[in-house]
Amino acid sequence: MPPAVEFWFEFASSYSYPAAMRIEAAAGAAGVRVEWKPFLLGPIFREQGYDSSPFVQYPAKGRYMWRDLERICAAQGIGFRKPSSFPRTSVLGARVVAAYAREPWVPDFVRALFRANFEFDRDIDAPELVRELLAACVADADERLAAAQSAPLKQRLRENTERAAALGLFGAPSFRVGDEDTGCELFWGNDRLDEALAWARGAHALQR
Amino acid sequence: MPPAVEFWFEFASSYSYPAAMRIEAAAGAAGVRVEWKPFLLGPIFREQGYDSSPFVQYPAKGRYMWRDLERICAAQGIGFRKPSSFPRTSVLGARVVAAYAREPWVPDFVRALFRANFEFDRDIDAPELVRELLAACVADADERLAAAQSAPLKQRLRENTERAAALGLFGAPSFRVGDEDTGCELFWGNDRLDEALAWARGAHALQR
């Protein structure tokens, strides 16, 4: 098995967008496997004492973030339009990804949902949009959508969020690498993806 | 004149430490001049609605930061010991730097004060320590110290802090590059130093 990186992301999270757009290619080039871990930041922020997204609660930080994101997207060659609503999550989309995280169409669906939010300014929590994007990725979209909202699969997003809290996550994107033998390492922020991948390779080499 | 980067830092700020330790060499290699801009985060945090350092107010973020800083210092080859008191600033040290920011001994003094805090766990606000470190950098340390606390020079740190607030700074380290003609850009965080230097060179080339 190649080394793995857990990619913890939130569809509402602005810096998760450029990370989601590049992680599959970057990890592939590094020989690292991606585990897609959607979770909800809302419960985590509330538990930690934030009233809202830090970018809303602290306006100077928010103003900087939008300019910074614009620069990052330009450098990365991906589209960007400031969403007219922020933070705008997709509980349904996150449920779908959590339910089917290992299926091969998932990365495309994740990217499509992020682009809908941060490039096309669309309401990504609207069921019809989620269905439309899912139908472009997988043949049996309606069945998947229904199943993702049924009790056993719906639970997976909640489990991811509880796991994120237990791991000490406080923001997104976050990257977790290593294992119990070599020690786990957490990296926070789009800026740290390359370091997380390097660490995943190094920890893996140590273990072998 | 070579392009410049304004380096906005706080002696209490954990991520300002690795940035301060490498900025002179990194900027020199990039052909960029460093303008040393100490300021106080306390008034800025209070104005923006924080009760304390975000790393104190949000413990999960704080726990992550200390591990992250440990990794960064190891990779950079600089010493690190978690300070027994945090955040621990040096108003006197910051006044000295603000008062004499363009003098050639300033970078050494800044690094000595950061190391005292984050490598040797010393009380950097104690006047005798500031004097001791200053005396290792400049011949007339006592006169400088007295002058830095006199009305006209003391004012410079306050001006820096007011300027930082006016520029929309919300944390440290921050890097500001460009000018009115090419547009100013703000970068926040030790991770973004190299990008700030690249931007400084690019904006400067555009302008010529």
Side-chain angles (χ1 to χ4, degrees):
Chain A
M1 283 282 277
V5 59
E6 293 177 4
F7 173 42
W8 292 86
F9 64 95
E10 213 315 349
F11 284 113
S13 152
S14 49
Y15 286 111
S16 290
Y17 167 52
M21 296 304 284
R22 70 192 178 99
I23 190 170
E24 196 177 35
V32 174
R33 186 170 45 88
V34 180
E35 295 182 5
W36 300 80
K37 301 279 190 184
F39 71 112
L40 298 181
L41 269 172
I44 287 182
F45 281 158
R46 275 193 295 277
E47 194 179 316
Q48 297 186 353
Y50 288 96
D51 300 325
S52 173
S53 159
F55 298 128
V56 173
Q57 187 164 347
Y58 302 109
K61 188 173 243 181
R63 279 189 293 273
Y64 170 80
M65 180 273 286
W66 291 116
R67 172 60 185 145
D68 192 43
L69 190 64
E70 191 177 32
R71 284 190 306 231
I72 289 170
C73 293
Q76 199 171 317
I78 60 177
F80 171 70
R81 189 195 308 171
K82 185 180 169 186
S84 53
S85 170
F86 179 85
R88 179 200 273 151
T89 193
S90 178
V91 174
L92 179 54
R95 281 182 179 158
V96 169
V97 176
Y100 300 107
R102 295 181 181 193
E103 300 211 5
W105 49 270
V106 158
D108 278 338
F109 177 68
V110 169
R111 287 186 289 261
L113 209 47
F114 269 114
R115 294 183 68 193
N117 194 1
F118 291 103
E119 181 174 355
F120 304 121
D121 190 21
R122 299 186 67 184
D123 175 10
I124 58 170
D125 213 20
E128 58 273 28
L129 177 63
V130 175
R131 195 206 160 277
E132 176 191 317
L133 298 178
L134 187 61
C137 295
V138 72
D140 49 355
D142 287 322
E143 290 165 43
R144 302 278 189 163
L145 264 187
Q149 296 173 88
S150 69
L153 288 184
K154 196 167 78 170
Q155 183 61 14
R156 292 202 187 155
L157 179 60
R158 183 168 301 162
E159 287 164 5
N160 275 10
T161 302
E162 288 169 1
R163 175 80 175 141
L167 291 173
L169 267 68
F170 54 89
S174 291
F175 311 100
R176 188 163 173 272
V177 301
D179 57 36
E180 302 306 323
D181 292 338
T182 56
C184 289
E185 291 289 328
L186 189 65
F187 297 88
W188 169 55
N190 173 55
D191 287 331
R192 314 301 294 281
L193 170 56
D194 298 314
E195 193 179 346
L197 293 176
W199 196 283
R201 289 165 58 96
H204 189 69
L206 269 181
Q207 194 202 0
R208 288 168 63 110
Chain B
M1 282 282 276
V5 58
E6 293 177 6
F7 173 41
W8 292 87
F9 64 95
E10 200 339 331
F11 283 114
S13 153
S14 48
Y15 286 112
S16 290
Y17 167 50
M21 297 304 285
R22 71 192 177 100
I23 191 169
E24 194 176 35
V32 174
R33 187 169 45 88
V34 180
E35 295 182 6
W36 301 80
K37 300 279 189 184
F39 71 113
L40 298 181
L41 270 172
I44 287 183
F45 280 157
R46 275 192 296 278
E47 193 179 318
Q48 297 186 355
Y50 289 96
D51 300 325
S52 173
S53 159
F55 298 128
V56 173
Q57 188 164 346
Y58 303 109
K61 188 172 242 180
R63 278 190 294 275
Y64 170 79
M65 179 274 286
W66 290 116
R67 172 59 186 145
D68 193 43
L69 190 64
E70 191 176 31
R71 285 191 305 234
I72 289 169
C73 293
Q76 197 172 318
I78 60 177
F80 171 69
R81 188 195 307 172
K82 185 180 168 185
S84 53
S85 169
F86 179 84
R88 179 200 273 151
T89 194
S90 177
V91 174
L92 179 54
R95 280 181 178 158
V96 168
V97 176
Y100 299 107
R102 295 181 178 193
E103 300 211 5
W105 49 269
V106 158
D108 279 338
F109 177 68
V110 169
R111 287 186 289 261
L113 209 47
F114 270 113
R115 294 184 68 192
N117 194 1
F118 292 102
E119 181 174 356
F120 305 120
D121 189 20
R122 299 186 67 183
D123 175 10
I124 58 169
D125 213 21
E128 57 275 27
L129 176 62
V130 176
R131 194 206 161 278
E132 176 191 319
L133 298 178
L134 188 61
C137 295
V138 70
D140 48 355
D142 287 322
E143 289 166 43
R144 303 277 189 165
L145 265 187
Q149 296 173 89
S150 70
L153 288 184
K154 195 167 78 170
Q155 182 62 14
R156 293 204 186 154
L157 178 61
R158 183 167 301 163
E159 287 164 1
N160 275 10
T161 301
E162 289 168 359
R163 175 80 176 143
L167 290 174
L169 266 67
F170 53 89
S174 292
F175 311 100
R176 188 164 173 270
V177 301
D179 56 37
E180 302 307 321
D181 292 336
T182 57
C184 290
E185 292 288 328
L186 190 65
F187 296 87
W188 170 55
N190 173 56
D191 287 331
R192 311 302 293 281
L193 170 56
D194 298 313
E195 193 180 346
L197 294 175
W199 196 282
R201 288 165 57 97
H204 188 69
L206 269 181
Q207 193 202 359
R208 287 168 62 111

